[in-house]
Amino acid sequence: MSQPINLNKARKARDLAARRAQADENALRFGRSKAEKEAARKSAAQAKATLDAHKRET
């Protein structure tokens, strides 16, 4: 005789696997690496500094 299956746990495991698959897909589509985020942050900071340096004082 086979073991009984807890259908509630099986459903939750199936849903969890689907959510993880969706999260992995989103990470590939929209995610950026830490290095890319850091480079973008440094670039934005440099652009802001350059803009501030060229402003006229009133």
Side-chain angles (χ1 to χ4, degrees):
M1 194 168 174
S2 64
Q3 292 288 335
I5 298 173
N6 185 337
L7 295 178
N8 195 32
K9 286 187 179 182
R11 177 183 53 82
K12 287 183 179 182
R14 182 193 66 215
D15 292 346
L16 178 62
R19 286 195 308 267
R20 283 189 177 155
Q22 183 67 38
D24 290 341
E25 182 181 326
N26 287 344
L28 287 175
R29 289 171 76 197
F30 303 110
R32 296 186 298 163
S33 70
K34 188 174 184 179
E36 290 171 333
K37 289 177 188 177
E38 185 68 20
R41 187 188 63 76
K42 284 184 179 181
S43 176
Q46 184 179 13
K48 183 180 183 313
T50 303
L51 182 65
D52 288 343
H54 287 87
K55 285 185 178 179
R56 293 184 192 178
E57 292 191 27
T58 57

Short mmCIF file of all heavy atoms in Angstrom, two decimals:
data_model
loop_
_atom_site.label_atom_id
_atom_site.label_comp_id
_atom_site.label_asym_id
_atom_site.label_seq_id
_atom_site.Cartn_x
_atom_site.Cartn_y
_atom_site.Cartn_z
N MET A 1 0.84 -1.18 0.00
CA MET A 1 0.00 0.00 0.00
C MET A 1 0.89 1.25 0.00
O MET A 1 1.89 1.32 0.70
CB MET A 1 -0.90 -0.02 1.23
CG MET A 1 -2.01 0.94 1.19
SD MET A 1 -3.17 0.54 2.51
CE MET A 1 -4.24 1.89 2.33
N SER A 2 0.55 2.24 -0.78
CA SER A 2 1.36 3.44 -0.87
C SER A 2 1.01 4.41 0.27
O SER A 2 -0.01 4.27 0.93
CB SER A 2 1.13 4.12 -2.21
OG SER A 2 -0.21 4.54 -2.32
N GLN A 3 1.88 5.35 0.44
CA GLN A 3 1.69 6.35 1.49
C GLN A 3 0.63 7.35 1.07
O GLN A 3 0.58 7.75 -0.11
CB GLN A 3 3.00 7.09 1.74
CG GLN A 3 4.09 6.25 2.36
CD GLN A 3 3.80 5.93 3.81
OE1 GLN A 3 3.08 6.65 4.49
NE2 GLN A 3 4.33 4.82 4.27
N PRO A 4 -0.19 7.79 2.02
CA PRO A 4 -1.17 8.83 1.67
C PRO A 4 -0.47 10.16 1.43
O PRO A 4 0.57 10.45 2.02
CB PRO A 4 -2.07 8.91 2.90
CG PRO A 4 -1.31 8.28 4.00
CD PRO A 4 -0.34 7.32 3.37
N ILE A 5 -1.03 10.97 0.54
CA ILE A 5 -0.46 12.27 0.19
C ILE A 5 -1.29 13.36 0.83
O ILE A 5 -2.53 13.35 0.75
CB ILE A 5 -0.46 12.47 -1.34
CG1 ILE A 5 0.41 11.41 -2.00
CG2 ILE A 5 0.02 13.84 -1.71
CD1 ILE A 5 0.33 11.44 -3.49
N ASN A 6 -0.61 14.28 1.49
CA ASN A 6 -1.30 15.44 2.05
C ASN A 6 -1.51 16.42 0.90
O ASN A 6 -0.57 17.06 0.42
CB ASN A 6 -0.46 16.05 3.17
CG ASN A 6 -1.18 17.18 3.88
OD1 ASN A 6 -2.08 17.79 3.31
ND2 ASN A 6 -0.78 17.45 5.11
N LEU A 7 -2.73 16.55 0.44
CA LEU A 7 -3.01 17.38 -0.73
C LEU A 7 -2.76 18.86 -0.46
O LEU A 7 -2.38 19.60 -1.36
CB LEU A 7 -4.46 17.16 -1.18
CG LEU A 7 -4.76 15.74 -1.68
CD1 LEU A 7 -6.24 15.63 -2.05
CD2 LEU A 7 -3.90 15.40 -2.88
N ASN A 8 -2.97 19.29 0.78
CA ASN A 8 -2.73 20.69 1.12
C ASN A 8 -1.24 21.02 0.98
O ASN A 8 -0.87 22.04 0.40
CB ASN A 8 -3.22 20.98 2.53
CG ASN A 8 -3.33 22.45 2.82
OD1 ASN A 8 -3.62 23.24 1.93
ND2 ASN A 8 -3.10 22.84 4.06
N LYS A 9 -0.37 20.14 1.48
CA LYS A 9 1.07 20.37 1.37
C LYS A 9 1.52 20.27 -0.09
O LYS A 9 2.39 21.03 -0.53
CB LYS A 9 1.83 19.36 2.22
CG LYS A 9 1.75 19.67 3.70
CD LYS A 9 2.66 18.77 4.50
CE LYS A 9 2.56 19.11 5.97
NZ LYS A 9 3.48 18.28 6.77
N ALA A 10 0.94 19.35 -0.84
CA ALA A 10 1.30 19.21 -2.25
C ALA A 10 0.90 20.46 -3.02
O ALA A 10 1.67 20.95 -3.88
CB ALA A 10 0.62 17.98 -2.84
N ARG A 11 -0.26 21.02 -2.74
CA ARG A 11 -0.71 22.24 -3.42
C ARG A 11 0.19 23.41 -3.07
O ARG A 11 0.60 24.19 -3.94
CB ARG A 11 -2.15 22.56 -3.00
CG ARG A 11 -2.69 23.85 -3.60
CD ARG A 11 -4.09 24.17 -3.10
NE ARG A 11 -4.22 24.18 -1.66
CZ ARG A 11 -3.87 25.21 -0.87
NH1 ARG A 11 -3.38 26.31 -1.40
NH2 ARG A 11 -4.02 25.14 0.42
N LYS A 12 0.54 23.53 -1.78
CA LYS A 12 1.41 24.63 -1.37
C LYS A 12 2.80 24.50 -1.99
O LYS A 12 3.39 25.50 -2.40
CB LYS A 12 1.51 24.68 0.16
CG LYS A 12 0.25 25.20 0.80
CD LYS A 12 0.40 25.30 2.30
CE LYS A 12 -0.87 25.85 2.93
NZ LYS A 12 -0.73 26.00 4.39
N ALA A 13 3.32 23.28 -2.08
CA ALA A 13 4.63 23.08 -2.70
C ALA A 13 4.59 23.42 -4.18
O ALA A 13 5.53 24.03 -4.71
CB ALA A 13 5.07 21.63 -2.50
N ARG A 14 3.50 23.05 -4.87
CA ARG A 14 3.36 23.37 -6.29
C ARG A 14 3.30 24.89 -6.48
O ARG A 14 3.95 25.44 -7.37
CB ARG A 14 2.09 22.72 -6.83
CG ARG A 14 1.88 22.95 -8.31
CD ARG A 14 0.49 22.57 -8.74
NE ARG A 14 -0.47 23.47 -8.09
CZ ARG A 14 -1.68 23.12 -7.67
NH1 ARG A 14 -2.10 21.89 -7.82
NH2 ARG A 14 -2.48 23.99 -7.11
N ASP A 15 2.54 25.58 -5.64
CA ASP A 15 2.42 27.03 -5.76
C ASP A 15 3.75 27.72 -5.46
O ASP A 15 4.12 28.69 -6.11
CB ASP A 15 1.34 27.56 -4.81
CG ASP A 15 -0.06 27.12 -5.23
OD1 ASP A 15 -0.23 26.66 -6.38
OD2 ASP A 15 -0.99 27.26 -4.40
N LEU A 16 4.48 27.21 -4.46
CA LEU A 16 5.78 27.78 -4.12
C LEU A 16 6.75 27.62 -5.28
O LEU A 16 7.49 28.55 -5.61
CB LEU A 16 6.34 27.11 -2.86
CG LEU A 16 7.71 27.58 -2.41
CD1 LEU A 16 7.68 29.05 -2.04
CD2 LEU A 16 8.19 26.74 -1.23
N ALA A 17 6.75 26.48 -5.92
CA ALA A 17 7.63 26.25 -7.06
C ALA A 17 7.28 27.21 -8.21
O ALA A 17 8.18 27.74 -8.88
CB ALA A 17 7.53 24.80 -7.53
N ALA A 18 5.99 27.44 -8.42
CA ALA A 18 5.58 28.36 -9.48
C ALA A 18 6.02 29.79 -9.17
O ALA A 18 6.49 30.51 -10.06
CB ALA A 18 4.07 28.30 -9.67
N ARG A 19 5.89 30.20 -7.91
CA ARG A 19 6.31 31.55 -7.53
C ARG A 19 7.82 31.71 -7.66
O ARG A 19 8.30 32.77 -8.10
CB ARG A 19 5.87 31.87 -6.10
CG ARG A 19 4.39 32.13 -5.95
CD ARG A 19 4.04 32.77 -4.62
NE ARG A 19 4.58 32.06 -3.48
CZ ARG A 19 3.96 31.11 -2.77
NH1 ARG A 19 2.75 30.75 -3.12
NH2 ARG A 19 4.53 30.54 -1.74
N ARG A 20 8.58 30.68 -7.29
CA ARG A 20 10.03 30.76 -7.43
C ARG A 20 10.45 30.82 -8.89
O ARG A 20 11.37 31.55 -9.25
CB ARG A 20 10.69 29.57 -6.74
CG ARG A 20 10.73 29.72 -5.25
CD ARG A 20 11.57 28.66 -4.60
NE ARG A 20 11.61 28.89 -3.16
CZ ARG A 20 11.84 27.95 -2.27
NH1 ARG A 20 12.07 26.71 -2.66
NH2 ARG A 20 11.87 28.24 -0.98
N ALA A 21 9.77 30.08 -9.74
CA ALA A 21 10.08 30.11 -11.16
C ALA A 21 9.80 31.51 -11.73
O ALA A 21 10.59 32.03 -12.53
CB ALA A 21 9.26 29.06 -11.90
N GLN A 22 8.69 32.11 -11.32
CA GLN A 22 8.35 33.45 -11.77
C GLN A 22 9.39 34.46 -11.27
O GLN A 22 9.80 35.37 -12.00
CB GLN A 22 6.96 33.85 -11.29
CG GLN A 22 6.49 35.20 -11.75
CD GLN A 22 6.27 35.26 -13.24
OE1 GLN A 22 5.78 34.31 -13.83
NE2 GLN A 22 6.63 36.36 -13.86
N ALA A 23 9.83 34.30 -10.03
CA ALA A 23 10.83 35.21 -9.46
C ALA A 23 12.16 35.09 -10.21
O ALA A 23 12.82 36.11 -10.48
CB ALA A 23 11.02 34.91 -7.98
N ASP A 24 12.55 33.87 -10.55
CA ASP A 24 13.79 33.69 -11.31
C ASP A 24 13.69 34.32 -12.70
O ASP A 24 14.64 34.94 -13.17
CB ASP A 24 14.11 32.20 -11.45
CG ASP A 24 14.53 31.57 -10.12
OD1 ASP A 24 14.92 32.32 -9.21
OD2 ASP A 24 14.45 30.33 -10.01
N GLU A 25 12.54 34.17 -13.33
CA GLU A 25 12.33 34.78 -14.65
C GLU A 25 12.39 36.30 -14.55
O GLU A 25 13.02 36.96 -15.39
CB GLU A 25 10.98 34.35 -15.20
CG GLU A 25 10.69 34.89 -16.58
CD GLU A 25 9.32 34.47 -17.09
OE1 GLU A 25 8.88 33.35 -16.77
OE2 GLU A 25 8.71 35.28 -17.81
N ASN A 26 11.78 36.87 -13.54
CA ASN A 26 11.81 38.32 -13.36
C ASN A 26 13.22 38.81 -13.06
O ASN A 26 13.61 39.89 -13.52
CB ASN A 26 10.87 38.74 -12.23
CG ASN A 26 9.42 38.64 -12.61
OD1 ASN A 26 9.09 38.56 -13.78
ND2 ASN A 26 8.54 38.64 -11.64
N ALA A 27 13.97 38.04 -12.30
CA ALA A 27 15.35 38.44 -12.00
C ALA A 27 16.18 38.50 -13.28
O ALA A 27 17.02 39.39 -13.43
CB ALA A 27 15.97 37.45 -11.00
N LEU A 28 15.95 37.57 -14.19
CA LEU A 28 16.68 37.59 -15.45
C LEU A 28 16.24 38.76 -16.33
O LEU A 28 17.06 39.38 -17.01
CB LEU A 28 16.47 36.28 -16.21
CG LEU A 28 17.20 35.07 -15.65
CD1 LEU A 28 16.80 33.82 -16.43
CD2 LEU A 28 18.70 35.26 -15.73
N ARG A 29 14.95 39.06 -16.32
CA ARG A 29 14.43 40.10 -17.21
C ARG A 29 14.74 41.50 -16.69
O ARG A 29 15.10 42.39 -17.46
CB ARG A 29 12.92 39.96 -17.36
CG ARG A 29 12.51 38.75 -18.17
CD ARG A 29 11.03 38.51 -18.11
NE ARG A 29 10.33 39.46 -18.95
CZ ARG A 29 9.03 39.71 -18.86
NH1 ARG A 29 8.30 39.09 -17.97
NH2 ARG A 29 8.46 40.56 -19.67
N PHE A 30 14.59 41.72 -15.38
CA PHE A 30 14.65 43.08 -14.85
C PHE A 30 15.83 43.33 -13.92
O PHE A 30 16.13 44.47 -13.60
CB PHE A 30 13.37 43.40 -14.08
CG PHE A 30 12.13 43.25 -14.91
CD1 PHE A 30 11.24 42.22 -14.67
CD2 PHE A 30 11.86 44.13 -15.94
CE1 PHE A 30 10.10 42.07 -15.43
CE2 PHE A 30 10.72 43.99 -16.70
CZ PHE A 30 9.85 42.95 -16.45
N GLY A 31 16.46 42.29 -13.45
CA GLY A 31 17.50 42.45 -12.44
C GLY A 31 18.78 43.01 -13.00
O GLY A 31 19.11 42.85 -14.18
N ARG A 32 19.51 43.67 -12.13
CA ARG A 32 20.83 44.17 -12.48
C ARG A 32 21.81 43.66 -11.43
O ARG A 32 21.45 43.50 -10.27
CB ARG A 32 20.87 45.70 -12.50
CG ARG A 32 19.98 46.31 -13.56
CD ARG A 32 20.15 47.80 -13.62
NE ARG A 32 19.74 48.40 -12.36
CZ ARG A 32 20.08 49.63 -11.98
NH1 ARG A 32 20.79 50.38 -12.78
NH2 ARG A 32 19.68 50.12 -10.83
N SER A 33 23.03 43.45 -11.82
CA SER A 33 24.03 42.98 -10.88
C SER A 33 24.41 44.12 -9.94
O SER A 33 24.13 45.29 -10.19
CB SER A 33 25.26 42.47 -11.61
OG SER A 33 25.96 43.55 -12.20
N LYS A 34 25.07 43.76 -8.87
CA LYS A 34 25.50 44.75 -7.89
C LYS A 34 26.47 45.75 -8.53
O LYS A 34 26.41 46.95 -8.25
CB LYS A 34 26.15 44.05 -6.70
CG LYS A 34 26.47 44.95 -5.55
CD LYS A 34 26.98 44.16 -4.36
CE LYS A 34 27.20 45.06 -3.18
NZ LYS A 34 27.68 44.31 -2.00
N ALA A 35 27.34 45.27 -9.39
CA ALA A 35 28.30 46.14 -10.06
C ALA A 35 27.60 47.14 -10.98
O ALA A 35 27.99 48.31 -11.04
CB ALA A 35 29.30 45.30 -10.85
N GLU A 36 26.56 46.68 -11.67
CA GLU A 36 25.81 47.58 -12.55
C GLU A 36 25.09 48.66 -11.74
O GLU A 36 25.07 49.83 -12.13
CB GLU A 36 24.81 46.80 -13.38
CG GLU A 36 25.44 45.92 -14.44
CD GLU A 36 24.45 44.99 -15.10
OE1 GLU A 36 23.44 44.64 -14.48
OE2 GLU A 36 24.69 44.64 -16.27
N LYS A 37 24.50 48.27 -10.63
CA LYS A 37 23.81 49.24 -9.77
C LYS A 37 24.80 50.27 -9.22
O LYS A 37 24.51 51.47 -9.19
CB LYS A 37 23.12 48.53 -8.61
CG LYS A 37 21.92 47.71 -9.02
CD LYS A 37 21.34 47.00 -7.82
CE LYS A 37 20.26 46.02 -8.21
NZ LYS A 37 19.76 45.27 -7.08
N GLU A 38 25.97 49.81 -8.79
CA GLU A 38 26.98 50.70 -8.24
C GLU A 38 27.50 51.66 -9.32
O GLU A 38 27.68 52.85 -9.06
CB GLU A 38 28.13 49.88 -7.66
CG GLU A 38 29.19 50.69 -6.96
CD GLU A 38 28.71 51.34 -5.69
OE1 GLU A 38 27.70 50.90 -5.12
OE2 GLU A 38 29.36 52.32 -5.26
N ALA A 39 27.71 51.16 -10.53
CA ALA A 39 28.18 52.02 -11.62
C ALA A 39 27.14 53.08 -11.96
O ALA A 39 27.49 54.25 -12.19
CB ALA A 39 28.50 51.17 -12.84
N ALA A 40 25.87 52.71 -11.97
CA ALA A 40 24.81 53.67 -12.25
C ALA A 40 24.73 54.72 -11.15
O ALA A 40 24.53 55.91 -11.43
CB ALA A 40 23.48 52.95 -12.41
N ARG A 41 24.90 54.29 -9.90
CA ARG A 41 24.84 55.23 -8.79
C ARG A 41 26.01 56.22 -8.86
O ARG A 41 25.83 57.44 -8.70
CB ARG A 41 24.88 54.48 -7.45
CG ARG A 41 24.65 55.38 -6.24
CD ARG A 41 24.88 54.65 -4.94
NE ARG A 41 26.26 54.20 -4.78
CZ ARG A 41 27.29 54.98 -4.47
NH1 ARG A 41 27.11 56.26 -4.29
NH2 ARG A 41 28.50 54.48 -4.34
N LYS A 42 27.21 55.73 -9.17
CA LYS A 42 28.37 56.61 -9.28
C LYS A 42 28.22 57.57 -10.45
O LYS A 42 28.58 58.75 -10.35
CB LYS A 42 29.64 55.78 -9.44
CG LYS A 42 30.11 55.16 -8.15
CD LYS A 42 31.42 54.42 -8.34
CE LYS A 42 31.87 53.81 -7.03
NZ LYS A 42 33.15 53.10 -7.17
N SER A 43 27.69 57.09 -11.55
CA SER A 43 27.48 57.93 -12.73
C SER A 43 26.49 59.05 -12.42
O SER A 43 26.70 60.20 -12.80
CB SER A 43 26.99 57.09 -13.89
OG SER A 43 26.69 57.89 -14.99
N ALA A 44 25.41 58.71 -11.71
CA ALA A 44 24.42 59.72 -11.35
C ALA A 44 25.01 60.75 -10.39
O ALA A 44 24.74 61.95 -10.51
CB ALA A 44 23.20 59.04 -10.74
N ALA A 45 25.82 60.29 -9.45
CA ALA A 45 26.44 61.21 -8.50
C ALA A 45 27.41 62.15 -9.22
O ALA A 45 27.47 63.35 -8.91
CB ALA A 45 27.17 60.42 -7.42
N GLN A 46 28.16 61.62 -10.17
CA GLN A 46 29.10 62.45 -10.93
C GLN A 46 28.34 63.47 -11.79
O GLN A 46 28.75 64.63 -11.87
CB GLN A 46 29.97 61.58 -11.81
CG GLN A 46 31.03 62.36 -12.55
CD GLN A 46 31.90 61.46 -13.41
OE1 GLN A 46 31.56 60.30 -13.64
NE2 GLN A 46 33.00 61.99 -13.89
N ALA A 47 27.25 63.06 -12.41
CA ALA A 47 26.46 63.98 -13.23
C ALA A 47 25.87 65.09 -12.36
O ALA A 47 25.85 66.26 -12.76
CB ALA A 47 25.35 63.23 -13.94
N LYS A 48 25.40 64.75 -11.16
CA LYS A 48 24.84 65.75 -10.26
C LYS A 48 25.92 66.72 -9.81
O LYS A 48 25.70 67.93 -9.77
CB LYS A 48 24.22 65.07 -9.04
CG LYS A 48 23.54 66.04 -8.09
CD LYS A 48 22.95 65.29 -6.90
CE LYS A 48 22.20 66.16 -5.96
NZ LYS A 48 22.84 67.39 -5.55
N ALA A 49 27.11 66.22 -9.51
CA ALA A 49 28.21 67.08 -9.09
C ALA A 49 28.62 68.03 -10.21
O ALA A 49 28.88 69.21 -9.98
CB ALA A 49 29.40 66.23 -8.64
N THR A 50 28.66 67.52 -11.43
CA THR A 50 29.01 68.36 -12.58
C THR A 50 27.97 69.44 -12.80
O THR A 50 28.31 70.61 -13.05
CB THR A 50 29.14 67.49 -13.85
OG1 THR A 50 30.11 66.48 -13.62
CG2 THR A 50 29.55 68.31 -15.06
N LEU A 51 26.70 69.08 -12.69
CA LEU A 51 25.64 70.05 -12.86
C LEU A 51 25.69 71.12 -11.77
O LEU A 51 25.56 72.32 -12.06
CB LEU A 51 24.27 69.35 -12.83
CG LEU A 51 23.06 70.24 -13.04
CD1 LEU A 51 23.08 70.85 -14.45
CD2 LEU A 51 21.80 69.46 -12.82
N ASP A 52 25.91 70.71 -10.53
CA ASP A 52 26.00 71.66 -9.44
C ASP A 52 27.19 72.58 -9.60
O ASP A 52 27.14 73.76 -9.22
CB ASP A 52 26.08 70.93 -8.10
CG ASP A 52 24.75 70.27 -7.71
OD1 ASP A 52 23.71 70.65 -8.30
OD2 ASP A 52 24.76 69.39 -6.82
N ALA A 53 28.28 72.08 -10.15
CA ALA A 53 29.48 72.89 -10.33
C ALA A 53 29.29 73.97 -11.39
O ALA A 53 29.94 75.00 -11.35
CB ALA A 53 30.66 72.00 -10.72
N HIS A 54 28.36 73.76 -12.32
CA HIS A 54 28.15 74.71 -13.39
C HIS A 54 26.99 75.66 -13.14
O HIS A 54 26.65 76.48 -14.00
CB HIS A 54 27.92 73.96 -14.72
CG HIS A 54 29.18 73.36 -15.25
ND1 HIS A 54 29.60 72.12 -14.88
CD2 HIS A 54 30.10 73.84 -16.11
CE1 HIS A 54 30.74 71.86 -15.50
NE2 HIS A 54 31.07 72.88 -16.25
N LYS A 55 26.39 75.57 -11.97
CA LYS A 55 25.27 76.47 -11.67
C LYS A 55 25.78 77.87 -11.32
O LYS A 55 26.86 78.03 -10.75
CB LYS A 55 24.45 75.93 -10.49
CG LYS A 55 23.57 74.77 -10.87
CD LYS A 55 22.71 74.38 -9.68
CE LYS A 55 21.80 73.23 -10.06
NZ LYS A 55 20.98 72.82 -8.91
N ARG A 56 24.99 78.85 -11.68
CA ARG A 56 25.33 80.21 -11.32
C ARG A 56 24.80 80.50 -9.93
O ARG A 56 23.76 80.03 -9.52
CB ARG A 56 24.66 81.21 -12.25
CG ARG A 56 25.16 81.17 -13.64
CD ARG A 56 24.50 82.26 -14.43
NE ARG A 56 24.73 82.09 -15.84
CZ ARG A 56 24.24 82.88 -16.76
NH1 ARG A 56 23.46 83.87 -16.43
NH2 ARG A 56 24.51 82.67 -18.04
N GLU A 57 25.54 81.29 -9.21
CA GLU A 57 25.07 81.71 -7.89
C GLU A 57 24.37 83.03 -8.06
O GLU A 57 24.80 83.91 -8.78
CB GLU A 57 26.24 81.82 -6.94
CG GLU A 57 26.89 80.47 -6.62
CD GLU A 57 27.87 80.58 -5.49
OE1 GLU A 57 27.73 81.47 -4.64
OE2 GLU A 57 28.79 79.75 -5.46
N THR A 58 23.24 83.17 -7.34
CA THR A 58 22.50 84.43 -7.43
C THR A 58 22.76 85.31 -6.24
O THR A 58 23.21 84.90 -5.22
CB THR A 58 20.99 84.13 -7.50
OG1 THR A 58 20.62 83.38 -6.38
CG2 THR A 58 20.66 83.38 -8.76
#
